[in-house]
Amino acid sequence: MTVYLGNAGNIELIRDSGDTISGTITPSNVNTGKNMFSFDFKQGALITGDFIEFSSTSVLSFISGWTLTKSNAFINVDEAGGLRLYTSYTAAVANTSGARIALATPGASIDINCKIINSVPRVLGHIIRFELSTDREAIDTSSLGDEFRNQYSTLITGNGSVDCVFDYTSPGNVEIAVYLHNLLLRQQFGSDFKAKFYILTEGQAQGANASNDAVWFEVTGIMTNAAIQCVAGDIIESRFTFVTTGEIALRVQTVTSDELLLNPGGDRMVLSTADGDILELGEEIA
């Protein structure tokens, strides 16, 4: 029997997407010297690192040299609500001044829609531990005269917690604790997120087939609590609790996707590994 250690686990976090806010950019809202702009959005609605689609019925002329009505960019949001645009997540969270997208003063006010279109999974950094619990509700269906209680299983729910070291600057292309703190405080869009909780990640030296094995849960959740612990002489830690919404899926991988080959064999499609260890017959080809 193989014993697995927790140091093989991690969390891949996907920022929620699909939410839209509207506003107006006036010429006075654009600072071309700092390549910074703002508009009338509620503080906390946008978070540094968000990938945003800007759209309008007119040309987005506040972006230098731009001639289209749509544009996508990563954003950096300062404490005063100023926005800076970047082509990469890493540059946005680091607020790299030399990597900012150049802006221009528009000739007139521009009505814009900002849609959050985050879809890229990123590892949550500095995790200490996480816990995911799944429950299935039961309804009592016992009748008068029954000698034993009868139960009927119904809906599945989940909840959990994540403990990590507090950080507010991103060490590369990873998510950090300050984003989850901001996520809970984001009132306009809510605190939804998607995540993969890895118990075992591919390439970790555990198990008989260590180069291929991976085990993880896929969930969509809502952040319900964010706490921070600050003790003199100790590491500052953050603790987050959440509930799941929608499907909870447990995935087990023993063969990587790049090892799977589709080979035509007669009138059937054969699914096999590169070394031929696994053969599965697929549907007949008409």
Side-chain angles (χ1 to χ4, degrees):
M1 182 184 75
T2 304
V3 177
Y4 299 99
L5 301 179
N7 61 325
N10 65 48
I11 299 174
E12 282 188 356
L13 194 66
I14 303 176
R15 299 189 179 200
D16 194 27
S17 60
D19 301 307
T20 302
I21 59 175
S22 301
T24 302
I25 299 177
T26 65
S28 61
N29 290 149
V30 181
N31 185 328
T32 57
K34 296 182 178 180
N35 289 320
M36 178 182 70
F37 72 101
S38 186
F39 64 95
D40 47 340
F41 67 91
K42 190 171 183 179
Q43 186 73 14
L46 301 175
I47 300 176
T48 292
D50 280 340
F51 191 52
I52 304 295
E53 177 189 83
F54 296 93
S55 63
S56 177
T57 56
S58 57
V59 172
L60 300 177
S61 57
F62 69 95
I63 302 176
S64 181
W66 201 252
T67 59
L68 304 177
T69 59
K70 285 187 178 182
S71 179
N72 300 338
F74 292 94
I75 62 169
N76 178 279
V77 188
D78 64 26
E79 59 275 10
L83 300 175
R84 298 163 179 84
L85 305 182
Y86 294 88
T87 57
S88 73
Y89 171 83
T90 303
V93 295
N95 196 19
T96 307
S97 59
R100 294 173 188 165
I101 295 175
L103 302 182
T105 303
S109 296
I110 304 173
D111 294 327
I112 63 168
N113 294 315
C114 301
K115 183 178 181 180
I116 301 176
I117 55 175
N118 300 312
S119 60
V120 178
R122 295 185 180 88
V123 174
L124 180 63
H126 309 305
I127 302 170
I128 300 173
R129 68 184 66 84
F130 69 79
E131 178 180 332
L132 177 62
S133 175
T134 54
D135 303 284
R136 186 148 202 162
E137 298 175 1
I139 297 176
D140 191 339
T141 58
S142 304
S143 303
L144 292 177
D146 289 345
E147 295 184 359
F148 299 94
R149 189 174 298 280
N150 294 314
Q151 302 279 354
Y152 181 78
S153 61
T154 58
L155 301 178
I156 299 173
T157 60
N159 62 84
S161 63
V162 178
D163 293 2
C164 56
V165 176
F166 176 79
D167 197 356
Y168 64 93
T169 57
S170 175
N173 196 31
V174 299
E175 291 288 6
I176 50 178
V178 72
Y179 167 70
L180 296 179
H181 283 285
N182 281 323
L183 183 64
L184 188 73
L185 298 173
R186 180 149 65 177
Q187 297 179 354
Q188 189 165 353
F189 290 155
S191 57
D192 299 357
F193 68 94
K194 297 177 182 178
K196 295 181 179 180
F197 291 85
Y198 281 89
I199 302 168
L200 182 66
T201 52
E202 183 180 340
Q204 297 291 328
Q206 301 189 46
N209 194 24
S211 62
N212 295 331
D213 290 357
V215 182
W216 70 95
F217 285 90
E218 294 181 5
V219 306
T220 299
I222 299 174
M223 200 69 62
T224 58
N225 179 267
I228 191 165
Q229 177 178 275
C230 187
V231 180
D234 204 350
I235 296 174
I236 299 176
E237 295 183 9
S238 295
R239 180 177 177 82
F240 307 97
T241 58
F242 62 90
V243 295
T244 63
T245 173
E247 182 181 3
I248 304 170
L250 173 60
R251 311 293 190 190
V252 178
Q253 171 187 291
T254 56
V255 178
T256 58
S257 58
D258 58 356
E259 287 184 305
L260 296 176
L261 301 176
L262 287 174
N263 301 316
D267 59 350
R268 289 177 176 268
M269 190 69 76
V270 179
L271 181 65
S272 66
T273 61
D275 55 10
D277 284 346
I278 297 176
L279 271 181
E280 299 179 6
L281 293 180
E283 297 181 356
E284 292 187 2
I285 300 175

